[in-house]
């Protein structure tokens, strides 16, 4: 079997043609993979810079779209030949809190040392011709036969901000600030917010050209706020001015590895009374939140990781209804043999571009 092999963190991914094909087990399906997204930070994961907890000697790759080739005897809701989307998150079915039991993203990382046992069971991911996955992790895509696999594979990336916007209880007609809007998940958040009925989306960032490309998606509903470092008060005014002088209902933060918290603080100050902030990005620096601001304005601050299991199915319905347009993202496809080139493209891609590996 063809696929990408990784000896462990700090090693180089290797294209191989002699990988062992997966064997079916209870509660699982085997997929013939059609398209798998490549994250912009894939190389940073593999080389160990991001400190992800990975197994040794495994096939990486999380999410994607495939066709079911084999179904375990105890799986009754899926059938051979179905095209399905992959949700890579697996959490133990226990009565303990998920944070205690730990969870994994198949083919990518384990969240805690406790979850490494689960990772050992579901070790291999989707950068291969075939993948073994828990049946609970796949969602049928039968209702979208006209959309090619490389576009349907975007659903797993749309699902991430969708989970955050659900956690923020975004309602139709509300306004939402999206910080980190020019990155992959920030740009997806804008599209999902529109699909969920947001009346106004304020795209916050520093890449003026990319901000204008985002505004062009829906000029009547998206506005941009290009911020400068070091002036929180002026940045807050810029955000409010972009929103027509009104405070926002929701602040969704999808910043990457920010070096300073200025834009976060400005966005917090642009929220309305009893507004909500959702932190979902990759920020690793201290953020000095204003205690009195939170108290006086009765703000709600929530963290969020990933999305509920039904997210991909919900996004499928939005796509069916024409509310979520998967054509807005340019997808570039690569065969497994050109995995390095796919990583190169992903690293340089804008928020409206995506690299896809097509194993078969």
């Amino acid at each position: 079997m063809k696929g990408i092999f990784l000896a462990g963190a700090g090693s180089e991914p290797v294209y191989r043609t002699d990988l062992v094909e997966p064997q079916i087990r209870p509660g699982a399906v085997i997929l013939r993979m059609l398209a798998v997204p490549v994250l912009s930070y894939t190389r940073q994961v593999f080389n160990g810079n991001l400190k992800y907890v990975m197994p040794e000697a495994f096939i990486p790759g999380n999410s994607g779209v495939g066709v079911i080739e084999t179904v375990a005897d105890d799986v009754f809701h899926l059938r051979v030949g179905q095209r399905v989307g992959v949700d890579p998150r697996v959490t133990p079915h226990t009565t303990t809190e998920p944070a205690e039991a730990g969870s994994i993203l198949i083919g990518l990382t384990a969240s805690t040392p406790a979850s490494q046992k689960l990772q050992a069971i579901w070790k291999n991911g989707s950068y291969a011709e075939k993948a073994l996955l828990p049946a609970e992790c796949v969602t049928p895509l039968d209702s979208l036969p006209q959309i090619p696999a490389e576009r349907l594979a975007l659903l797993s990336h749309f699902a991430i901000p969708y989970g955050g916007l659900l956690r923020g209880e975004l309602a139709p007609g509300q306004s939402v600030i999206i910080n980190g809007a020019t990155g992959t998940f920030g740009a997806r958040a804008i599209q999902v917010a529109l699909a969920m009925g947001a009346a106004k989306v304020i795209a916050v960032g520093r890449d003026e050209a990319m901000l204008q490309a985002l505004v062009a998606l829906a000029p009547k509903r998206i506005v941009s706020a290009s911020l400068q470092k070091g002036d929180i008060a002026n940045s807050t005014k810029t955000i409010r001015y972009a929103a027509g002088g009104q405070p926002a209902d929701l602040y969704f933060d999808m910043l990457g590895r920010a070096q300073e918290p200025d834009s976060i603080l400005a966005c917090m100050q642009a929220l309305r009374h009893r507004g909500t902030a959702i932190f979902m990005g990759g920020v690793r620096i201290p953020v000095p939140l204003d205690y009195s601001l939170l108290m006086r304005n009765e703000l709600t601050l929530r963290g969020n990781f990933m999305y509920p299991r039904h997210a991909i199915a919900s996004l499928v319905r939005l796509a069916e209804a024409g509310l979520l347009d998967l054509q807005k993202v340019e997808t570039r496809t690569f065969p497994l043999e050109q995995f390095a080139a796919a990583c190169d493209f992903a690293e340089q891609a804008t928020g409206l571009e995506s690299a896809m590996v097509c194993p078969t």
Side-chain angles (χ1 to χ4, degrees), residues 15-360:
Y15 168 71
R16 288 174 49 172
T17 60
D18 61 347
L19 297 175
V20 177
E21 289 197 11
Q23 300 297 309
I24 197 64
R25 66 173 64 151
V29 294
I30 294 175
L31 306 185
R32 175 169 52 85
M33 297 309 302
L34 301 178
V36 186
V38 180
L39 297 165
S40 62
Y41 48 88
T42 294
R43 282 204 174 98
Q44 295 178 65
V45 173
F46 290 172
N47 64 24
N49 285 349
L50 296 185
K51 309 299 182 185
Y52 279 29
V53 179
M54 293 182 287
E56 294 184 359
F58 76 111
I59 298 169
N62 69 316
S63 73
V65 167
V67 174
I68 297 177
E69 286 207 339
T70 310
V71 180
D73 291 339
D74 60 344
V75 175
F76 310 111
H77 66 291
L78 299 169
R79 56 178 171 76
V80 172
Q82 276 186 303
R83 194 166 59 157
V84 296
V86 176
D87 168 8
R89 190 180 187 193
V90 183
T91 300
H93 298 287
T94 71
T95 56
T96 59
E97 288 295 320
E100 297 174 13
S103 63
I104 64 169
L105 298 179
I106 296 176
L108 189 64
T109 188
S111 63
T112 68
S115 60
Q116 287 179 270
K117 292 181 179 180
L118 182 61
Q119 187 181 51
I121 296 171
W122 301 104
K123 185 176 183 179
N124 292 320
S126 50
Y127 286 143
E129 291 180 296
K130 296 183 180 181
L132 174 73
L133 295 161
E136 67 181 275
C137 291
V138 302
T139 300
L141 304 174
D142 301 326
S143 61
L144 298 172
Q146 75 282 9
I147 300 180
E150 61 268 23
R151 292 206 173 276
L152 287 175
L154 292 168
L155 289 170
S156 61
H157 282 184
F158 281 112
I160 292 172
Y162 179 62
L165 294 171
L166 284 178
R167 180 110 170 107
E169 300 177 1
L170 176 65
Q174 288 189 328
S175 58
V176 55
I177 301 165
I178 296 178
N179 197 9
T182 58
T184 297
F185 294 114
R188 306 289 188 274
I190 288 174
Q191 293 168 270
V192 173
L194 293 176
M196 293 174 70
K200 181 79 70 176
V201 180
I202 304 97
V204 174
R206 296 195 175 100
D207 183 340
E208 185 61 40
M210 186 60 204
L211 286 173
Q212 292 312 307
L214 292 169
V215 170
L217 294 175
K220 293 183 178 180
R221 296 169 65 194
I222 304 172
V223 294
S224 67
S226 180
L227 306 186
Q228 303 298 319
K229 292 183 180 180
D231 191 341
I232 297 171
N234 189 57
S235 292
T236 302
K237 291 179 182 178
T238 299
I239 296 167
R240 289 203 175 199
Y241 178 80
Q246 299 298 314
D249 298 291
L250 177 64
Y251 164 36
F252 180 74
D253 190 280
M254 200 36 121
L255 276 179
R257 299 179 75 82
Q259 300 302 307
E260 43 77 22
D262 294 4
S263 66
I264 299 172
L265 301 177
C267 290
M268 291 290 295
Q269 293 179 19
L271 277 172
R272 65 167 172 80
H273 181 252
R274 292 187 177 174
T276 298
I278 300 296
F279 283 9
M280 203 175 176
V283 176
R284 296 294 182 268
I285 59 171
V287 178
L289 295 175
D290 186 334
Y291 186 103
S292 61
L293 174 73
L294 289 167
M295 179 188 66
R296 291 195 317 271
N297 286 358
E298 299 182 281
L299 301 180
T300 298
L301 174 60
R302 294 174 175 172
N304 189 67
F305 180 68
M306 298 299 284
Y307 46 86
R309 185 67 84 195
H310 66 76
I312 292 180
S314 297
L315 291 170
V316 166
R317 288 192 289 273
L318 290 176
E320 282 182 279
L323 297 171
L324 179 64
D325 187 354
L326 301 180
Q327 303 294 325
K328 297 295 186 181
V329 179
E330 177 189 346
T331 56
R332 182 80 62 87
T333 60
F334 300 84
L336 279 170
E337 297 91 323
Q338 297 178 18
F339 184 72
C343 291
D344 289 340
F345 181 82
E347 287 176 352
Q348 303 300 320
T350 71
L352 293 176
E353 297 174 321
S354 183
M356 291 285 169
V357 168
C358 296
T360 55

